[in-house]
DNA sequence: CAATACATTAGAATCGTTCTAAACTGATAT
DNA sequence: ATATCAGTTTAGAACGATTCTAATGTATTG
């Protein structure tokens, strides 16, 4: 509790009631993949009614501070990942579920990037049966 | 022209005026990445005013028949790819541009998929500087 | 060439997300 | 403590991509 406030302050984020609740859920030590909607539902279950606008604001604030990663998985909605380390994912479209791949993977045979462009990062998405 | 109508019929698609125009643009031999909006703009420039609803319908019809691939690149809009072979991409967020990677790449070090799941396909997205 | 099943269309509806502007609250200085 | 003020929350409006609706049009079949 004290440490979450401290954690937010360390990241130049005022520890408001709402941000403390959201941060303590997101950063409880278990990596998560959330959308605004799934987070809102989870918070409702925890009896913390936080407006959708605040949820969007907070996810973006955390993202801006590098506390969350944005995932481009699906054109329907934006996914945020609490694991900001470079890593890859399994994705099950059927279950709309993401699973972290935390082992080291290598991609070989990569061609040269186009002129004047540098490779920033390589993202591997492993699609599971439908 | 004759062959495009034939091509559409072969794919159980009635060769309407609009579908012929869109197909002859999309499948002219040069692979393309389009969104409903970029396709609409291109068609307007070609003086072919086709309603947005038809563009969406047609893209989805072509997708259903396996003539287009859907790319999950970005949560803002849906990208369709005329290259339906298994391949990978460079992506420049800054330019909002995709570039095909047609060489063979290998991903090594992949962990086992979760129980009862099979790997369907592996997609590699190479992000270019910002 | 009539019948009909399928397509196209404008505009309305939908849905995720962002914006607005008014009310609120944490930090700071007094 | 308290007033001040910048930063935050919120409901609801607005937005933009996409889908739906239902009326009109057209390719196919007999």
């Amino acid at each position: 509790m004290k440490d979450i406030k401290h954690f937010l302050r360390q990241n130049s984020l005022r520890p408001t009631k709402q941000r403390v609740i959201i941060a303590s859920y997101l950063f409880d030590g278990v990596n998560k993949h959330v959308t605004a909607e799934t987070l809102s539902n989870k918070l409702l279950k925890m009896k913390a009614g936080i407006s959708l606008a605040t949820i969007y604001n907070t996810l973006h604030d955390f993202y801006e501070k590098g506390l969350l990663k944005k995932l481009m998985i699906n054109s329907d909605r934006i996914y945020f990942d609490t694991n900001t380390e470079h890593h890859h994912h399994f994705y099950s479209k059927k279950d709309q579920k993401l699973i972290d791949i935390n082992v080291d993977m290598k991609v070989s045979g990569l061609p040269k990037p186009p002129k004047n462009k540098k490779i920033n990062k390589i993202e591997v998405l492993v699609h599971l049966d439908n």
Side-chain angles (χ1 to χ4, degrees), chain A residues 22-64:
Chain A
I22 294 175
S24 40
Y25 167 64
L26 289 179
F27 309 118
D28 63 359
V30 180
N31 283 326
K32 292 168 182 61
H33 306 105
V34 302
T35 67
E37 200 198 358
T38 64
L39 178 54
S40 175
N41 289 339
K42 185 63 80 176
L43 292 168
L44 284 175
K45 271 192 212 126
M46 297 163 103
K47 312 227 169 279
I50 296 179
S51 84
L52 252 194
T54 299
I55 290 173
Y56 278 105
N57 289 340
T58 303
L59 286 171
H60 283 122
D61 294 343
F62 288 3
Y63 171 72
E64 297 288 302

Side-chain angles (χ1 to χ4, degrees), chain A residues 52-91:
Chain A
L52 252 194
T54 299
I55 290 173
Y56 278 105
N57 289 340
T58 303
L59 286 171
H60 283 122
D61 294 343
F62 288 3
Y63 171 72
E64 297 288 302
K65 301 301 181 185
L67 306 177
L68 292 175
K69 225 169 129 168
K70 228 184 259 197
L71 300 181
M72 307 196 299
I73 290 303
N74 182 307
S75 302
D76 291 352
R77 50 190 27 67
I78 300 172
Y79 283 81
F80 290 90
D81 192 340
T82 59
N83 181 354
T84 57
E85 304 286 308
H86 184 267
H87 66 289
H88 305 286
H89 293 97
F90 286 116
Y91 176 58

